[in-house]
Amino acid sequence: MLAPLQRLGDAPRRAALLGALRRAYLLALAALAVPGLLIGVPFGVTSSPAPNSAALLGLGASALVCAALALGLAHRKARPAVPGTPEGRDLSVQAAIQAASAPAVPLLMACTQLRSPLTLLALLALTLLALAVGWASLTLWARRAGRPDAAPGDAALTDPAVTG
């Protein structure tokens, strides 16, 4: 799972960087979600439903704010990435790992609301939205930090057998 991150080199191409960012994003999401699910699901099963709609609305609003803040901080982390540099590569990987907390927060909140179906569905929808926004951001960060992919006619310029 971590091999694509190790093989990036100092100045990765956009396609290789995007694949590595996707793996880092999913690995970080799993690292956050699996322990949270193991704790949140039993808590959600044994707890009583929230008493009123104001509490549920507050829970949904706080999940939205947390997800938005996590994505905003990840974008801020990736913004100074310089294309084709080791620093740009590192900033993009760090941003991908940081962005994984955006869908993790509403997912963990959803686990605690297993007995409130409407709140559960709303938080799961927010989880999917944050996941999609984070996934789309990876493409932007790879485009910003990676070297352009070689065109099919450029193989002679990059092939060591041809350049000697």
Side-chain angles (χ1 to χ4, degrees), residues 56-70 101-110 122-123 126-127 130:
L56 299 177
L57 186 62
L59 185 64
S62 64
L64 179 64
V65 167
C66 288
L69 281 174
S101 62
V105 170
L107 177 65
L108 300 180
M109 289 182 179
L123 289 170
L126 181 59
T127 299

Side-chain angles (χ1 to χ4, degrees), residues 82-94:
V82 177
T85 63
E87 294 81 16
R89 173 207 60 211
D90 293 344
L91 286 173
S92 297
V93 171
Q94 291 170 16

Side-chain angles (χ1 to χ4, degrees), residues 10-15 17 83-85 142-150 158:
D10 286 341
R13 298 228 180 250
R14 289 178 181 161
L17 183 59
T85 63
R143 193 177 312 133
R144 184 180 294 160
R147 287 187 308 157
D149 294 325
T158 58

